[in-house]
Amino acid sequence: MTGTGTWVDPSDEHVQDPEPVLRDALDRCIDALTGSVIRSGDRAGWLSWELAADGEPHRMVGGNASLYDGDAGVAWALVQLARVPGRGDLLDLAVRTARTAARTGANLRSGGLLDGTAGVAVGLAAVAAASGSAPGTSVGLLAPEALPASDLTSGLAGLLIAQSRAGSCGPRTLEAVDILRGRARSDPLGVCWPDPLASDPVEGRPLCGMSHGNSGIALALAEAAAAHPACNARASALAAEAMRWESAWFEPMKGGWPDLRVDPPGFPALWCHGAAGIGAARLRMLDLCEAGLDLPIPADTLRAEAEVAVQACGADLSLVVQGLERGTGQLAGGLTLCHGLGGPLDVLALAHELWGVKAHLEAARHFAAAIVRVLGDDPLAWPAGVRAPGSAGLFVGVAGAAVVLARLVHPELGLASPSLLV
């Protein structure tokens, strides 16, 4: 299934050309990043929000190395943005930023992908590959047994992603897969992973989705299977069981998968806990299968679920834009990847890349242009993923929004997807 959707008709004479709007927004995002950088000698970095105990933004501080909202994530984004015509200067800034992240990354307590050393390793690997040289000191990955969580954000799934992206798969990869197998809870639906760090069973219940749920773990297992032949059979089988569990939660009448953190659950189209992350995972697994990975999941099932997720993302974006036109639209997360509209936009771009359906890309471009028109001139003042503007981060700030816009403006460049870091 590779349907085109019916959200936007570019031939409609009332539909404005999105190209100049998107190009201007991309330029302003890049200018915002280069204008807010803090330089010191051969290093560069950005301020990020420090959250108080209640989760609210408290103050902006420097020295955050994480991939999620710190310097490693900005460095990863700069590698992509340096390929935009006329912006090759950004690669030097990426190297300087990676140097900073490498030096401060050892202070991170987590070994996870989004909040820990695994994510720093991914950012450094991207810079090293693009620049042809290591950015300085390296950040070591934690041993699998040192990560009590299983998810993508803080746990073993994130470690597997980092190993595959940084080209460091080996015996520890097989060890991580075996630990995930041992932690999995089996039920008639498949396998899932409760949060072992939660204070009660309700709070720690297994989840759907990318950041803390089964999609992120299944994707990591599929990446490990593709990158490390020694764990192929075990990782592929476990990924298939994880997918079956999540597929059982799909609600046809709702057009998506539930966010099981709340009761009654919602059905968002976000990267972190909704159809955008779930769709990105399935699109990537389809891509891996076409490249030769043998996942014990029917290809038609993967395609059908990917198509449903793509349609859910398009429908959500359409509703937001219609609301903006009526003056009732909400842009709480702006164009950010994790909590905003960057996630569903990136999924439409991924669908275009994998299936060759230009309508998905055209719809994403028109949606993004309609959103940009109401966001204002300063990207650092746009709504962000941490309930306060000003973040430069990859998942909650300007860097991620810039990469999403660059992918829509320059599809011919084949820029890496921030949803998948590949």
Side-chain angles (χ1 to χ4, degrees):
M1 296 176 65
T2 55
T4 61
T6 56
W7 315 297
V8 175
D9 180 6
S11 65
D12 188 333
E13 62 181 10
H14 299 294
V15 175
Q16 294 177 286
D17 180 10
E19 181 82 12
V21 176
L22 296 179
R23 286 185 179 274
D24 177 67
L26 174 59
D27 289 341
R28 284 186 283 119
C29 283
I30 293 175
D31 289 344
L33 288 173
T34 57
S36 59
V37 64
I38 300 172
R39 299 174 185 266
S40 177
D42 65 346
R43 292 184 287 172
W46 281 261
L47 297 178
S48 64
W49 282 105
E50 182 180 79
L51 303 184
D54 60 0
E56 292 297 322
H58 173 53
R59 61 176 180 171
M60 296 199 87
V61 298
N64 177 2
S66 78
L67 189 74
Y68 184 71
D69 59 351
D71 292 331
V74 178
W76 187 94
L78 289 171
V79 168
Q80 317 312 318
L81 297 173
R83 295 176 57 195
V84 171
R87 298 316 308 237
D89 60 301
L90 296 178
L91 186 56
D92 177 69
L93 184 56
V95 171
R96 293 172 181 269
T97 305
R99 223 172 256 142
T100 303
R103 293 177 183 177
T104 58
N107 298 325
L108 293 171
R109 296 181 179 180
S110 168
L113 181 69
L114 298 190
D115 62 1
T117 53
V120 177
V122 170
L124 298 187
V127 173
S131 65
S133 62
T137 57
S138 61
V139 173
L141 299 176
L142 294 187
E145 62 269 17
L147 280 73
S150 301
D151 64 355
L152 196 73
T153 295
S154 304
L156 283 174
L159 181 63
L160 288 175
I161 291 287
Q163 289 172 335
S164 65
R165 299 291 182 267
S168 60
C169 288
R172 284 297 175 91
T173 302
L174 187 57
E175 182 182 349
V177 171
D178 287 342
I179 293 174
L180 277 173
R181 172 76 263 185
R183 290 179 184 173
R185 189 180 79 188
S186 298
D187 64 29
L189 303 180
V191 300
C192 55
W193 286 266
D195 181 1
L197 304 179
S199 57
D200 63 75
V202 174
E203 182 183 342
R205 69 182 300 182
L207 300 173
C208 300
M210 183 72 94
S211 60
H212 296 289
N214 264 41
S215 271
I217 298 174
L219 174 63
L221 288 164
E223 296 282 8
H228 191 45
C231 71
N232 187 302
R234 275 181 275 187
S236 295
L238 191 57
E241 292 180 59
M243 292 287 288
R244 279 194 287 271
W245 184 89
E246 191 170 69
S247 297
W249 284 99
F250 174 66
E251 289 276 359
M253 297 301 293
K254 302 286 187 179
W257 292 259
D259 180 354
L260 296 171
R261 297 173 301 163
V262 295
D263 187 20
F267 292 81
L270 299 175
W271 178 89
C272 48
H273 292 282
I278 290 169
R282 280 148 179 77
L283 287 166
R284 174 60 177 164
M285 282 188 268
L286 279 170
D287 194 28
L288 289 173
C289 290
E290 290 184 5
L293 177 64
D294 184 16
L295 275 179
I297 306 169
D300 287 346
T301 299
L302 273 178
R303 290 192 189 95
E305 293 191 2
E307 177 65 18
V308 167
V310 170
Q311 295 296 327
C313 288
D316 189 72
L317 287 162
S318 180
L319 287 174
V320 168
V321 170
Q322 290 174 31
L324 293 176
E325 293 171 349
R326 295 193 299 266
T328 60
Q330 298 294 318
L331 293 173
L335 283 178
T336 59
L337 183 70
C338 188
H339 304 301
L341 300 173
L345 286 170
D346 196 47
V347 166
L348 294 188
L350 282 167
H352 164 255
E353 291 164 355
L354 183 62
W355 292 329
V357 179
K358 192 174 181 181
H360 290 317
L361 176 64
E362 290 300 321
R365 287 162 58 89
H366 282 280
F367 290 142
I371 294 162
V372 164
R373 290 187 184 101
V374 303
L375 283 176
D377 293 334
D378 182 6
L380 286 171
W382 291 355
V386 289
R387 297 192 289 276
S391 173
L394 176 60
F395 281 82
V396 293
V398 176
V403 176
V404 171
L405 289 171
R407 281 168 51 74
L408 299 181
V409 173
H410 295 287
E412 76 283 357
L413 297 179
L415 302 180
S417 161
S419 297
L420 299 168
L421 301 170
V422 67

